[in-house]
Amino acid sequence: MYDGIIQTATLAAGLLGEMVPMMIAGVFLAEVLVALNVAGRIAALSRPLTSFACLREECGTSFLMAFVSPPAANAMLMDYHAKEIISRKELVIAAVMNSFPTVVMHWRYLLPVYIPLLGIPGLIYFGLLMLVGLAKTAFVMVLGRVILTPTSCTQVIPAEGPAVTLQEALRTACTSSKKILVRLLSITVPTIVIVAFLINAGVFDRLAGMMQGAGAIFPVPPEGFAIIAAQFGSFVAGASVASALLAAGDMTWQQIVLTLLVGNVLTSVTRSIRWLGSSYVAIFGMRTGTEIMLVSTVLRNGIMACLVAVLAYGLEWG
């Protein structure tokens, strides 16, 4: 019992240590940009995307921030929503769009593993992941254009006023950030503690076991289930097993890519609940965070499943 409490506390502290600084940075940066009256110039870089999706320009600033830190970017969105700059619908759509920069930045740790172990098939697999992320973002942008009212496209970033010094902007941001950070942290801390408890209780491990059993419904050769099982441990383990099977000639490179995609679909369910779920709920609250997680996961897995079906059909008739 005592060991379990210590393990939960240690894991929760680690998760909070990763998330809270980025959350604070995101809210604080949003306030600094507003105080300096430069948010509009930054958002202009992503204006074609936000304009098409009928999102306000502040969402463009958050989208660009997601290439650096997704938690900070989502904290910026929550800050805008708390100030009633963006609506709840805009918040959900913008948060799902923010997941694309996260996928793009996966190259930092995916490519150094998949290229050495799998070569060209690893590069193809990474490219397909990018394609799925791009398709999901495009779908969400079209959805925003359909369901958001035309007035949502109106620029609401205030026009530039008198020049503000950096020191004044920092002082203003410190004051304005406190209220929203207190609200966010009051949700974040207990949420992360609960997630840490569930992880140590083995809830997600049992869920992963259930998802492995669901792999039988996908067109994966028998040898490929070893890859999927390893992927539930880590993407490095999955790539290592795939590399061994490819080198031994037990599976073709097309089967390897297909199996990795199937494993990605299956592991994404537990991964979303375990990590993305805790992140979204911690930042956006239980209702909105769960909605964002579900929309993002369902869209991504739906597109991935269609891609798997197309590739499987091509292998069968190729």
Side-chain angles (χ1 to χ4, degrees):
M1 179 67 178
Y2 179 76
D3 290 341
I5 295 176
I6 295 298
Q7 291 174 0
T8 298
T10 302
L11 180 57
L15 293 174
L16 288 170
E18 293 178 3
M19 182 177 301
V20 171
M22 291 297 98
M23 185 185 302
I24 294 175
V27 172
F28 183 72
L29 180 59
E31 296 302 318
V32 171
L33 294 177
V34 171
L36 290 173
N37 293 318
V38 298
R41 290 197 293 270
I42 296 176
L45 297 174
S46 58
R47 186 172 294 159
L49 300 179
T50 55
S51 177
F52 181 86
C54 290
L55 292 170
R56 301 186 191 276
E57 289 192 342
E58 288 85 350
C59 297
T61 306
S62 173
F63 182 81
L64 294 177
M65 172 58 69
F67 283 97
V68 179
S69 170
N74 288 332
M76 291 176 71
L77 289 178
M78 190 62 194
D79 186 30
Y80 295 143
H81 179 60
K83 294 180 177 178
E84 299 183 350
I85 294 176
I86 62 175
S87 66
R88 187 172 180 275
K89 288 182 179 179
E90 290 174 298
L91 175 68
V92 173
I93 291 174
V96 176
M97 283 182 60
N98 279 357
S99 64
F100 179 66
T102 305
V103 174
V104 173
M105 299 312 291
H106 280 175
W107 71 267
R108 292 175 295 182
Y109 55 90
L110 286 181
L111 290 184
V113 172
Y114 283 112
I115 297 300
L117 289 176
L118 296 173
I120 297 300
L123 185 61
I124 293 174
Y125 172 61
F126 178 79
L128 292 174
L129 292 182
M130 296 300 102
L131 179 63
V132 170
L134 182 62
K136 184 181 77 170
T137 301
F139 182 89
V140 172
M141 289 172 58
V142 172
L143 183 64
R145 191 171 184 86
V146 171
I147 68 175
L148 296 178
T149 59
T151 54
S152 296
C153 301
T154 305
Q155 180 177 346
V156 297
I157 297 175
E160 294 190 16
V164 178
T165 66
L166 179 59
Q167 185 177 2
E168 292 173 336
L170 293 175
R171 188 182 304 114
T172 300
C174 284
T175 302
S176 57
S177 297
K178 289 180 180 178
K179 184 176 181 181
I180 183 65
L181 283 174
V182 168
R183 179 180 180 278
L184 286 175
L185 291 175
S186 66
I187 299 173
T188 299
V189 174
T191 299
I192 294 301
V193 171
I194 292 173
V195 170
F197 172 78
L198 294 176
I199 291 174
N200 279 324
V203 172
F204 295 108
D205 291 335
R206 288 192 288 272
L207 183 58
M210 294 170 57
M211 293 307 302
Q212 281 183 258
I217 67 175
F218 288 94
V220 175
E223 298 84 358
F225 288 102
I227 298 176
I228 295 175
Q231 281 180 289
F232 277 93
S234 72
F235 73 94
V236 177
S240 299
V241 174
S243 176
L245 291 172
L246 182 63
D250 294 331
M251 296 178 66
T252 65
W253 71 265
Q254 295 95 330
Q255 292 174 325
I256 290 289
V257 172
L258 179 66
T259 301
L260 287 172
L261 289 173
V262 171
N264 195 288
V265 172
L266 296 175
T267 58
S268 71
V269 176
T270 55
R271 186 172 62 246
S272 296
I273 297 175
R274 182 173 179 173
W275 300 115
L276 297 182
S278 62
S279 176
Y280 283 146
V281 171
I283 294 175
F284 298 114
M286 179 60 71
R287 179 189 172 192
T288 304
T290 301
E291 181 179 349
I292 293 171
M293 182 197 72
L294 288 176
V295 170
S296 181
T297 303
V298 169
L299 276 179
R300 182 181 183 277
N301 284 352
I303 295 171
M304 190 83 78
C306 291
L307 179 60
V308 167
V310 171
L311 293 177
Y313 180 83
L315 284 177
E316 181 179 351
W317 294 97

